[in-house]
Amino acid sequence: MSFLGKLLFKNKTQDIVSGNSDSGLIKGDELKRSVDGIFGRSLFVRLVDSGSCNACENELAALSNPYYDLERFGIKFVASPKHADVIIITGCLTRNMLNPLLKTFEFVPEPKFVITAGDCPETGGPFKDSYAVCGPVSKYLKVTMHIKGCPPEPEAIISGFLRFMDMLKTSKI
Amino acid sequence: MDKIMTSKHIIKSSDFIKLANNIKESGRYLLGIVANDERSINSKFNIRYFFGGKNIIDEYSIPVDENFQSVSKICPAAKMYEREINDLFGLTPLGHPDLRPLMLYPENWDFSVHPLRKDYDNLIPEFKKYGDYKYKEVSGEGIFEVLVGPVHAGIIEPGHFRFSLAGEPVLQLEIRHFWKHKGIEKICEGKDFNEALNLISRVSGDNNVNIAVSYLEAVENLLNVEVSERAKHIRVILAELERIWNYVRDIAWIFMDIGFALPAQNLFALQEELMRLNKSLTGHRFMFNALVPCGVSVDFDSSKLFMVDNIIKKVEKAIKECEAFILNSSTVLDRLEFTGKINKKTAEELSLCGISARASGLPRDSRVEFPYLIYEKFNLKPVLRESGDVFARTALRIKEILLSVKIVGGLLFNLPEGEIISLCENRVEAYKYAVGNAETPRGNAFFYIMADDGGKIFRLKYIDPSFRIWPSIQYGVLGNIIADFPLINKSLNLSYSGNDM
Ligand code: SF4
C-alpha cells in the first residue's frame, strides 16, 4: 500500500505508544473507561489560547494525529464553548485576551472545569514581567488542574486528562 | 557572509520621503523599520529603515524628535511598522492613512502611555476602557458582515477577521491582530544575550530554531565571534529539519481543509515522527534551546546521524508520492488552483518574503540573498512559482522539502570535527548594533540588536515574516468564497504569536 493510503492503526482502544522510551504506555482501555463512566462517553474540550508561543497549540493539535487520536477515546475538541465540559487554557494571558477568555468561559454551561496547559498560564512563564501580560490565569478563574511543561508533550496532556477524571471520580474537586 | 554590503545613510525625514521612490524603483524592498529611543545617547529618537536586495542591506537612519513623515503612501509595506511606532514610542507618522492603535488596545490601555520609551515608568495603566476601536465599514444593498474570532473554532491562535460579503464572494476582509501581544521586545531590554535567547525561542515556538539562528547572527556579529564549522553545520541541519517538519504539517493541513483526511493523517503521523526525532536529537520536540550563543548545545554521534538519515529518506519518498497524488487528482487541483491568489504586484508592494513571495514570482530567500552559516556553499537558487495561489504555495513547499532533504543528506556524513561551542569573552562596544537575517519556514526573520554600556540589550527589535505577510491575506481572499478562507489561511500558515510579539 502506498504511503498516503495506508491505515496506520486499526484497533479502537489500542494503547498509545509513548515517544519517550522510559515513560511506557498509556492504556487505551483505561482512558476509554474513564471517559465512558464519568462523562457519558464524551468529554468535550474547548481550547482558548490566551497568549502562547504556539508550541502549546501544536502539541494540542498533535493529540489528533494517528499516534494519539484522542477522539477514539471520546475526548473531543469542540468548536463552541457552549458544547464544552472543560476549557483548556494555554498562554500567558495577555491584557488583550482577558476579555475574550472570560467571555468564552461564561458561555461554557455548568458544570464546567478549567485546565491550564503549559508553564505560561500557571506563572506567566518567560513573559510574566511584561506590561502586556495580566496573568496568571488563576487570578481570574478557578483552575481545576494544571498540566506542566513548556510545552507539555502530548502524553503529558493525556495523562493530565486521566488525572483530571480521577479527581472527579474521587470527588476531590 | 562578509559579502553582504551594508550601507548606512543618516538623512532628514523630509528628504527620505523624496528618496523613497528611488529606493523602491531600484528594486530594493523593505526589510523592516526599527525605532529606538536614543535620547540618552544623542538626545534623539532614531528611526531606521532597512531595505534589502541581493547581498545588500541599505539602512536609512532618521533622527526624530516627536514626529516624522510617513512613507506608507509610497511604500505600503511601511504601514504596519509606522502604526506600531505610533503605539509603542508615541512618535507620530505624519500623513499616515490609518493611525488606529495597533497592539495597545483602547479597550484596556491608556494611549498616552508608550511602553518602549526609555522614560516609561513601568506603571501599568488601570484595566478599563479608554476608547473604542473603529472598524472599517462597508455598506450598500445586500452587503452583510461575517465576524470571526478572536477565539476560533479549531485549535488555533486568536485573531479577529471581519468579512464583508455581497452574495458569495468576499468584498473586503479586515483583520485585527495583536490579541497575543506579549511585549517581548521590552522584556528583552536589560537582559544578557543568553537570557534573551530563552525568550526569543518562544516568539513563535514552531519556528524557534530558525529564529534563534537569526538572533545569533546578530549577537555573534556584536560579540565579534565566529562559531566553529561543526556548530555551523549542526545549526543548518537543525534549521532544515525544522523546515521539513513545518512544511509536512502545512501540507497535511491543506489536505485536511479540502477533505482528504487519509493523506492528511498520514502526513500528521509523519510530522509526529519528525518531532520524536527532534526529541531524540535535542531532548525537546521543538528543539528549544538547542542553539546557544557562540555554538550549539547538542552534538551528533553516528547513531543520531543514522536516525536522521533514515527519516529524511522516508520523508523524501512520502513527499514525492504526495506530489504525484496532487498533480494527478483533478479534485485536489480544483480546490487549490486559482484560490487565494496574491499577485506579484501586491507581493512587491507589501514587501512579502518567504513562500508567500516565491509563490508570486519574487525570488526572495534569505538563504540566498543574505547567505549565513554555510548556505553559500550550496549555491541555492530560490524555487519559484508565478501563479500566487494556494496551489503554488503547496507545490513550493513540496519542492522545498525535497531541497531541505538534499541539504541535510549532504551534510550528515561530512560533519567537520571540532568544538561545538566557541570561546567568547569579548565585550560588546557600548551602543553598537547589528542585524541578523535567517530564512524561517515562513520567510525572513530580521533582528536588530543594540547593546548598552554594560554589554546587555539596550534595544531588541524582531520582525517576524508573519508581520509582513498577514496584510496580504486581505488581498488574497478578495473575490473568493468565504468557505475557502481556511484553506487560503492555511496555505500561508502564518504565526499569530510571531506577529503579535
Ligand atoms: S508554556 Fe512554553 S511552549 Fe507553551 S506557550 Fe508558554 S512558552 Fe510556549
Side-chain angles (χ1 to χ4, degrees), chain A residues 67, chain B residues 268-278 311 314:
Chain A
Y67 277 86
Chain B
F268 283 131
L270 186 59
Q271 178 203 339
E272 177 67 23
E273 284 160 34
L274 285 159
M275 297 193 72
R276 289 182 176 192
L277 170 77
N278 291 346
I311 205 154
K314 183 168 178 187

Side-chain angles (χ1 to χ4, degrees), chain A residues 51-57 90-92 117-121 125-127 149-152, chain B residues 202 288:
Chain A
S52 74
C53 73
N54 84 19
C56 276
E57 277 64 55
T90 59
C92 59
D119 295 347
C120 281
F127 315 112
C150 181
Chain B
R202 286 155 182 81
F288 278 6

Side-chain angles (χ1 to χ4, degrees), chain A residues 2-4 6 17 20 46 49 52-54 58-59 65 67-68 94-96 130-132 150 153, chain B residues 103 108 124-125 152-153 178-182 202 205-206 249 266 272-273 276 279 284-285 321 497:
Chain A
S2 70
F3 170 76
L4 292 173
K6 193 171 65 189
V17 185
N20 311 336
R46 171 67 248 186
D49 165 5
S52 74
C53 73
N54 84 19
N58 263 288
E59 293 299 52
N65 79 34
Y67 277 86
Y68 307 104
T94 62
R95 281 171 82 91
N96 295 348
S130 168
Y131 62 86
C150 181
E153 296 186 0
Chain B
M103 51 266 285
N108 68 50
I124 296 168
H152 295 281
F178 301 96
W179 300 89
K180 300 177 74 170
H181 176 59
K182 300 187 272 297
R202 286 155 182 81
D206 57 356
R249 172 199 61 186
N266 277 295
E272 177 67 23
E273 284 160 34
R276 289 182 176 192
K279 169 122 192 199
H284 194 281
R285 282 165 56 94
E321 196 184 311
S497 178

Side-chain angles (χ1 to χ4, degrees), chain B residues 229-260:
Chain B
E229 282 302 308
R230 186 173 181 86
K232 284 185 190 172
H233 280 63
I234 293 177
R235 280 186 185 179
V236 169
I237 294 175
L238 298 181
E240 294 304 322
L241 285 176
E242 182 177 77
R243 201 180 314 281
I244 294 171
W245 85 252
N246 266 252
Y247 287 164
V248 166
R249 172 199 61 186
D250 294 352
I251 298 170
W253 274 115
I254 287 168
F255 273 121
M256 200 69 184
D257 276 4
I258 57 172
F260 282 73

Side-chain angles (χ1 to χ4, degrees), chain B residues 110-128:
Chain B
D110 175 359
F111 202 74
S112 63
V113 181
H114 305 291
L116 254 64
R117 285 182 171 235
K118 292 285 179 193
D119 54 5
Y120 167 58
D121 53 12
N122 287 322
L123 289 179
I124 296 168
E126 187 195 338
F127 198 105
K128 64 171 194 198

Side-chain angles (χ1 to χ4, degrees), chain B residues 71-239:
Chain B
V71 293
S72 293
K73 283 183 186 150
I74 304 165
C75 176
K79 230 166 121 179
M80 296 299 259
Y81 298 99
E82 292 183 343
R83 274 176 81 181
E84 178 189 20
I85 293 169
N86 189 39
D87 273 27
L88 299 178
F89 288 88
L91 304 169
T92 315
L94 301 172
H96 193 287
D98 174 13
L99 277 183
R100 291 174 299 172
L102 196 64
M103 51 266 285
L104 303 179
Y105 282 13
E107 290 93 329
N108 68 50
W109 190 272
D110 175 359
F111 202 74
S112 63
V113 181
H114 305 291
L116 254 64
R117 285 182 171 235
K118 292 285 179 193
D119 54 5
Y120 167 58
D121 53 12
N122 287 322
L123 289 179
I124 296 168
E126 187 195 338
F127 198 105
K128 64 171 194 198
K129 201 165 172 179
Y130 294 86
D132 286 310
Y133 185 84
K134 289 205 175 49
Y135 291 97
K136 292 179 195 156
E137 273 176 29
V138 180
S139 56
E141 206 184 315
I143 290 179
F144 63 100
E145 282 189 319
V146 176
L147 312 185
V148 187
V151 178
H152 295 281
I155 303 181
I156 30 172
E157 305 176 70
H160 180 60
F161 300 86
R162 297 190 152 224
F163 299 87
S164 304
L165 302 111
E168 293 266 15
V170 177
L171 275 185
Q172 182 187 272
L173 164 63
E174 181 180 0
I175 304 180
R176 188 185 190 193
H177 269 329
F178 301 96
W179 300 89
K180 300 177 74 170
H181 176 59
K182 300 187 272 297
I184 297 177
E185 290 174 7
K186 179 78 181 179
I187 326 175
C188 285
E189 291 180 5
K191 297 240 179 338
D192 66 32
F193 297 131
N194 256 315
E195 293 165 334
L197 179 59
N198 196 38
L199 278 151
I200 292 311
S201 304
R202 286 155 182 81
V203 162
S204 183
D206 57 356
N207 285 184
N208 74 84
V209 176
N210 280 283
I211 293 175
V213 167
S214 172
Y215 169 76
L216 293 173
E217 282 293 306
V219 167
E220 284 152 9
N221 186 336
L222 281 175
L223 291 169
N224 204 7
V225 282
E226 179 93 15
V227 298
S228 71
E229 282 302 308
R230 186 173 181 86
K232 284 185 190 172
H233 280 63
I234 293 177
R235 280 186 185 179
V236 169
I237 294 175
L238 298 181

